[in-house]
Amino acid sequence: MDKLFQIGDFIFRLCCPAEVTPPENFMKFGISSGLPGQRESGQLEESVTVKAPEYTYHIEVSDHLPEPDGKIVARRPDLLVFQRQAEGDSQLLESRLIGVKGRPDPYACYRETSGNRAEILLMQDELRDLHIDPLFTSLLALERRLVRKDQMVLHCAYVEYRGEAILFSAPSETGKTTQAGLWEKYRGGRTVNGDRSLLGKKEGGWIAQGWPVCGTSEVCHNEAISIKAVVMLSQAKENRAEKLKPGQAFPLLYSQITVNKWNMQDHLHTMDLIEDFLGSVPVIHLGCTISEEAVECLEEVLQSLEA
């Protein structure tokens, strides 16, 4: 396969052998080279002229993975990150050994070879699991490219309601999908993505965009919609909603955004983006039960924002 994709404002080329098949949700972000591309209904633009790719990923299949060169800058159970200086350049290039929590060995090696190209070696034995959205998307280090385009990945249930996006965010198992479902049931809302949204700017305003990973919700659409509010959830015995001040909202939002803390430049830029976001998008805390009353409680605060 040799195909162009666009996620947010990032247009890239993906080259891989026929045995490597991206997941269905990832393929929703494919575009045609050099031709006007039609977007799904509900997006801010109905058509777009495709530009040339700015980055290229080459995926190959192997029986073993190399040990990346460079300095180890981050270590997690499922990820080992290396940095090295580009030859004849001050740019830092990154390599990653990518794994899965609970498994002893990595399944892929990601290695940047220049400022616009990366090579990925994928273990032969892992081909059967590539249909799993996070396993495939993790190969590309997309958040590293997107933060430099002023875009951030937020862990949330992304719901469209009356032409605007409401983003329900919280740690896993708190009730994002449940509250999204309540807005579908009682207010006719529609879930665009059940687990992630890409936050970006359009004509000075922040928009929610599609992302090729949707968790267990299995709801994934490639749509861009203006954001009405972010709702930070917590479970409670009684329903209560309040708009947060930026200082209150910052740590809650930061905790649910994908941040590469080992890269200081990108880390600081992400924090600047969060501050910009909080300057124009309201963040509401909702302590909630599983009931229509939770919807009514949030709805009252949302309506007050329009007054």
Side-chain angles (χ1 to χ4, degrees):
M1 180 177 70
D2 186 342
K3 185 173 177 61
L4 296 186
F5 292 83
Q6 179 171 356
I7 297 178
D9 293 335
F10 180 43
I11 298 174
F12 58 94
R13 178 186 177 198
L14 180 62
C15 304
C16 56
E19 58 192 314
V20 175
T21 305
E24 178 182 349
N25 287 333
F26 194 91
M27 295 302 295
K28 293 178 181 179
F29 295 80
I31 55 177
S32 300
S33 177
L35 299 174
Q38 295 299 314
R39 296 179 181 270
E40 297 183 39
S41 61
Q43 293 185 292
L44 295 178
E45 297 178 343
E46 294 182 355
S47 64
V48 62
T49 300
V50 177
K51 300 178 181 178
E54 55 200 284
Y55 206 86
T56 300
Y57 296 95
H58 284 271
I59 301 179
E60 297 293 342
V61 179
S62 177
D63 291 327
H64 68 280
L65 300 179
E67 182 71 21
D69 55 338
K71 176 185 176 182
I72 296 177
V73 293
R75 188 189 300 269
R76 299 195 321 225
D78 59 344
L79 184 67
L80 194 60
V81 182
F82 302 77
Q83 283 181 349
R84 71 186 189 283
Q85 199 82 37
E87 293 184 12
D89 194 345
S90 61
Q91 184 176 14
L92 285 176
L93 300 179
E94 191 170 294
S95 299
R96 301 181 178 186
L97 287 175
I98 306 166
V100 177
K101 290 181 181 178
R103 298 186 188 178
D105 300 314
Y107 68 92
C109 176
Y110 162 92
R111 184 177 186 273
E112 296 169 359
T113 57
S114 70
N116 59 8
R117 187 178 186 275
E119 296 176 343
I120 297 148
L121 279 178
L122 177 67
M123 289 293 288
Q124 179 78 41
D125 293 345
E126 299 298 330
L127 288 175
R128 64 184 183 277
D129 290 333
L130 282 190
H131 66 281
I132 302 173
D133 295 343
L135 263 67
F136 184 85
T137 304
S138 294
L139 297 174
L140 308 181
L142 291 170
E143 78 290 341
R144 180 161 160 77
R145 312 270 81 80
L146 288 162
V147 69
R148 299 178 185 189
K149 290 184 166 292
D150 298 342
Q151 299 178 323
M152 306 178 286
V153 183
L154 176 66
H155 182 214
C156 67
Y158 166 12
V159 174
E160 180 272 326
Y161 176 66
R162 295 183 177 178
E164 294 181 293
I166 302 174
L167 307 179
F168 294 94
S169 185
S172 298
E173 309 301 326
T174 303
K176 299 184 302 297
T177 303
T178 300
Q179 292 300 316
L182 291 175
W183 275 77
E184 289 185 336
K185 179 178 180 180
Y186 294 114
R187 294 298 184 271
R190 178 177 61 90
T191 298
V192 178
N193 188 303
D195 195 59
R196 293 285 192 279
S197 175
L198 179 65
L199 311 181
K201 298 190 77 171
K202 189 76 172 181
E203 298 177 354
W206 284 88
I207 59 173
Q209 302 168 99
W211 187 250
V213 177
C214 60
T216 57
S217 72
E218 299 183 358
V219 180
C220 179
H221 300 290
N222 182 12
E223 300 181 23
I225 304 172
S226 297
I227 303 171
K228 185 176 185 64
V230 174
V231 182
M232 306 302 301
L233 299 173
S234 65
Q235 297 177 351
K237 294 182 179 179
E238 296 182 357
N239 297 295
R240 181 179 179 182
E242 62 175 340
K243 181 182 176 182
L244 299 176
K245 296 178 181 179
Q248 297 171 307
F250 188 99
L252 298 176
L253 194 62
Y254 175 89
S255 69
Q256 299 305 314
I257 286 176
T258 302
V259 181
N260 292 342
K261 297 180 181 179
W262 58 83
N263 188 311
M264 185 57 66
Q265 181 179 355
D266 291 349
H267 187 188
L268 292 175
H269 187 50
T270 300
M271 295 176 75
D272 289 340
L273 290 175
I274 294 174
E275 287 188 1
D276 184 284
F277 183 89
L278 293 174
S280 57
V281 179
V283 176
I284 298 166
H285 173 254
L286 175 65
C288 54
T289 61
I290 304 174
S291 66
E292 185 177 5
E293 184 181 312
V295 176
E296 295 169 349
C297 182
L298 175 58
E299 188 174 42
E300 183 176 339
V301 175
L302 291 173
Q303 290 173 348
S304 72
L305 299 175
E306 302 170 358

